[in-house]
Structure formats: structure tokens, C-alpha cells
Amino acid sequence: MSEIIVITSGKGGVGKTTTTANLGMGLAMRGKKVVLVDTDTGLRNLDLLLGLENRIMYDLIDVTQGRVPYKKALVRHKKQENLFLLPTSQVKDKTAVNPEELVKLCDELRQEFDFILIDCPAGIEQGFKTAIAAADCAIVVTMPEISAVRDADKIIGELGRADKENIKLVVNRIRPQMVEKGDMLDMDDINDILSIECIGQVPDDEMVVTSTNRGEPCITMEKSQAGQAYRNIVGRILGEKIPFMTFPKEGFFSRLKRVFNL
Amino acid sequence: MREEIVRIKGTKAGLQLLFAAGATYAAIEAEIREKLAAGSGFFCRGTVMHALAGSLPEAEMEKLRHLFHENGVIFSVTRAPFPLPEEPQGAPEPTAPAEAEAPAAPQPAEDAQQMVVVNRTLRGGQEVRTQSSVLVCGNVNPGAQIIAGGSIDIRGTCRGMVHAGAFGNQKAFVIADHLVPTQIRIADLIARAPDKAPADLEKPTRPERASIKDGQIVIEPIER
Ligand SMILES: Nc1ncnc2c1ncn2[C@@H]1O[C@H](COP(=O)(O)OP(=O)(O)OP(=O)(O)O)[C@@H](O)[C@H]1O
Ligand SMILES: [Mg+2]
């Protein structure tokens, strides 16, 4: 049975596209047939993270408007033959696809793929509504800072209103030293507010940036901390029980934690 | 089939607990324990069970509350006639400015008796607006708001904006398990959170009540 997962966040720039690329690659490495659907029309960059920009022939809009069958628009990854990208258009805007069209397309994709990951645009407007329409479940990406957590909270509320109740959390760009000093929210603070199941804690890692530039998600890099965190998330999506990576703990004296006015 | 002492009926607002007339407390408790032990799927954690106030003495209600809490079921005694009215829920448009002026409706007596029950966490951007009182079995998150003609009771943490007695009722109050709102308004008074929380101020561990005393909003711990 295939699964459609939308990766969303509310706030921009917290790591939706990075997460989509890594989880897609990771699931494909585990033998699943995966397609990544970029719905960030007009600001596409999932293709860049996968190093596939120069191979794009057709895009999502060509497919939803019936100009080509989806198979013609799919781009296969250079190294990972289980991984496909359905890129979007760089010139159209988010009104070019509506929810019904995406639902119909995803129904077709279900026949062929084990996992369909949808990279959602930031915000809660039309593009978001379209991206979530077909999803069986959602991964909300946030960062350990107040504004990102608040936006995640709002998105969880919006997902609930759209009857999407299966929601998991990924906290990205954790900086253990800052958490330790009390300058960054820790997992307790975040769970307190969001109270949904967390399936990933991804550290801030330079290798995310270097791997992005090389067009290869960091999950393929043995030594990357973020890569390890993403491998763990993939395992959890596949139903494995994997303990969370331990970051340095708060010292005894800094236990008197600051109260964030969340 | 024997006559059931305790009946559980599903309503839109959750489950309601009905007792057979003349049943003893011991019999009621025994049967509830039996139901809790048997129906593992029926009482999932976070289920809300309502009982009509006055259908059992206060002390016995308290014992039931304990029993349900131990099993992860939220027990709530409501004065509202069943089925409980549930306010249609809708987050306002994100760009829509908050309506500054609420209609200054006088508070009819029966409205004060009514209660809107919200069986989930109110998240940022969500709003409950009603003439009656509000019971939330869940948290009120930052950016969420409740505007109630009556009082507001939150069985969880309140971090949002709450306005009790919004149409002038000075006797309205706000109760929460953890009361750390951005703002509390009661009738026409406003109290806001301190700009900078002192370093050692953890969130309150006891339920608290905010009400008007001597023309000021005061917050004091209470027993539930
Ligand atoms: N764990 C991480 N460590 C370091 N840098 C990161 C990490 N995750 C993401 N980044 C960087 O943050 C930036 C934004 O990431 P990304 O594009 O994935 O976010 P997004 O949520 O998709 O943004 P948008 O809302 O614009 O679509 C990128 O430059 C990326 O390289
Ligand atoms: Mg993106």
C-alpha cells in the first residue's frame, strides 16, 4: 500500500525541501520506489538539491493540464534508480494547480510508487491547500525557535481543519550548544506546545549545505550528523523503533531553565 | 439482559455518562471499573466523559474524576443540558483584523448556564467566540483566543488570549491547570504577562483562577 506524505511547515526556510530530498533518497536507499512531487511552483528547488535541474523536460503543470502523461515528466535520479522527481514549473504560480488536480495525479502515482512525498510551499494560502489535499499523513518541519514553532502550531491546526489527523513532527537545525545555554528551545518546550509525535531531531550541520551544492542529499554521507538523523527518520517511517540521537545534555546548574514567553 | 446501572451515550461533544435512578455509588463505581477494564478501545486516552452536574453528590463526582483520570479519560461535570452545544469552529482569516468591538449584548440568565465544550487543543489562529461559558479539555496555545460571555475553564495549559465576561460580566473568571496566558481580560479589565519572565519562574504547577477583586484582576491558586 502506498503512502502519500506532505512535508510542510508554515514558516519558510526551515528545511522542508531539504527534508523531502533526504527522506526520499533514504526511502529509495531502503528499496522503496519513491516519487518526490515539488508543489512549490514558481520557487522550485527540489531539483537543485537532487542535482537534476538540467534533466527537466516537462513539469507538474504540463501533467495536471493534460499536455503530457506524468511518466514523461518524471526525472529519475542519476545514482538512485528507485528515486524519481516530478518537478514543478519555475515560471507559473501556485494557482496553476488546484487540489482536485493534485489528488487525481496522486491517485495515478499510487499505482506505481510506494512513497509519494510532496514538498509544500511556505504559507497557508492556496499552494498549501493544494499540497495537502492528497496526503495520507503530514510531516511538519520546525526549528527550535519561537516563530517557527508558532507557525508549526498554526499549520497543525490547519491540517486538523482539513481532516488530516496523522501528523508527525521533525525538528530541524538543532544546535546543542545553544540549547544547553538556554538560548534555544529544547524538545520539552516544543513538545509542550505542539504535542504531536516527534519522529526526527536533526542537528544543524554544515554538510547539509555542502551536499546541497553538490546535488546530493546529506543522507548519503556516512559521516554527516544530519544524515544520520535523516536515516533514523526513514527507519521510523518504516516502522522501526529507533532511539533519538543524544545531544549534550543541559548542565545541572543551567537546569533552572528560562521561561520562554511562548 | 440485566438493567445497566451506568449508560454511556455518544454525543457530538464527547461521551456522556448516565446513571440509573436510585443506583448506589458503590454499584456505579463497580460498573464503571468493569467498563474501563473491558472496553480497551472504547476509552482511549484523552476521551472526554461528561456527567450532568447534580446527578451525583459533589464528593462522589470527585471520586469518579479520579477514577477516570487514572485511566487517561478526562472527566467533566457540566451544567449544560445534553446534548452539549458545540460552537462551530473556524479559524478566522489570517489577515482579518480582530473585531475590536464585540456586540455589547446583555447577558441573559440562561446563557450563563450554557457551556461550550471544546475537546481539543486550540492552536494558534483559532478562536472560540460565544455568549456562554467555555470549557476546554486541551491546551490554549499562543495565538489562540477565547472570547466568552461567561467564564472560561481550561483543563490544560493556557498560553493564549482569554477574555471572560466579554459582554460586561464582572463575576466571570478564568481557570486553567497552568495559567500562563499572553493576556487575560475579564469584563473591561486587562492583565498581561510580564514582558520578561524572571529566570526562575517555571510555569505554575497548580490550577489557578483569575477573577476581579477590588477592581483588579487577581490570580490565585485553587483546588480542583
Ligand atoms: N540541518 C540543517 N543544517 C544546516 N543547514 C540547513 C539544515 N536544514 C536546512 N538547512 C539550510 O536552510 C536553508 C533552507 O532550507 P530549505 O530550502 O530546505 O527550506 P524550505 O523550508 O524548503 O524553504 P522554503 O520555505 O523557501 O521552501 C537551505 O539553505 C538549507 O541548506
Ligand atoms: Mg522549499
Side-chain angles (χ1 to χ4, degrees), chain A residues 153 156 192-194 257 259, chain B residues 123-124 141-142 159 199 201 203:
Chain A
D153 183 52
I156 296 166
D192 237 20
I193 298 276
L194 299 181
K257 212 170 41 196
V259 175
Chain B
R123 297 188 181 271
N141 277 358
R159 296 188 178 85
L201 193 138
K203 79 179 180 192

Side-chain angles (χ1 to χ4, degrees), chain A residues 20-149:
Chain A
T20 308
N22 278 286
L23 298 184
M25 176 60 85
L27 287 163
M29 284 158 58
R30 299 282 301 263
K32 303 294 177 190
K33 196 167 179 193
V34 183
V35 60
L36 309 181
V37 182
D38 190 347
T39 64
D40 201 353
T41 304
L43 290 169
R44 72 164 195 222
N45 44 34
L46 191 49
D47 51 318
L48 295 178
L49 269 66
L50 296 163
L52 297 176
E53 188 184 21
N54 57 355
R55 299 181 181 216
I56 295 175
M57 302 289 289
Y58 300 99
D59 60 41
L60 180 66
I61 319 296
D62 293 321
V63 177
T64 54
Q65 298 188 344
R67 281 189 287 278
V68 296
Y70 78 80
K71 278 187 203 294
K72 278 198 117 161
L74 289 183
V75 186
R76 186 180 224 138
H77 193 264
K78 287 173 283 191
K79 296 192 179 154
Q80 178 47 257
E81 58 169 20
N82 287 331
L83 182 62
F84 293 80
L85 170 69
L86 183 52
T88 190
S89 163
Q90 186 68 294
V91 293
K92 305 275 183 10
D93 66 42
K94 296 190 177 51
T95 58
V97 189
N98 65 41
E100 295 74 33
E101 289 165 346
L102 197 69
V103 168
K104 187 163 156 279
L105 170 63
C106 286
D107 279 342
E108 281 182 63
L109 293 171
R110 267 192 210 272
Q111 312 300 316
E112 186 178 345
F113 294 94
D114 300 316
F115 283 94
I116 300 158
L117 305 191
I118 300 172
D119 184 15
C120 179
I124 51 171
E125 290 79 29
Q126 181 59 46
F128 164 76
K129 297 205 167 79
T130 298
I132 68 167
D136 303 318
C137 51
I139 291 178
V140 172
V141 183
T142 191
M143 298 202 313
E145 56 162 60
I146 289 170
S147 60
V149 170

Side-chain angles (χ1 to χ4, degrees), chain A residues 124 150 153-154 156-158 161 192-196 255-259 261-262, chain B residues 90-91 94 123-126 139 141-143 159 193-195 197 199 201-203:
Chain A
I124 51 171
R150 289 220 181 174
D153 183 52
K154 176 138 193 170
I156 296 166
E158 292 290 321
R161 291 217 302 148
D192 237 20
I193 298 276
L194 299 181
S195 49
I196 60 170
R255 258 281 159 227
L256 275 180
K257 212 170 41 196
R258 184 132 58 102
V259 175
N261 223 347
L262 264 170
Chain B
R123 297 188 181 271
Q126 298 181 330
N139 299 336
N141 277 358
R159 296 188 178 85
D195 282 331
L201 193 138
E202 278 289 352
K203 79 179 180 192

Side-chain angles (χ1 to χ4, degrees), chain A residues 11-18 40 122 172-173 202-205 208-209 212 226:
Chain A
K11 189 174 162 71
V14 301
K16 294 178 292 296
T17 304
T18 305
D40 201 353
N172 188 25
R173 310 201 68 165
V202 183
D204 199 80
D205 182 352
V208 171
V209 183
T212 301

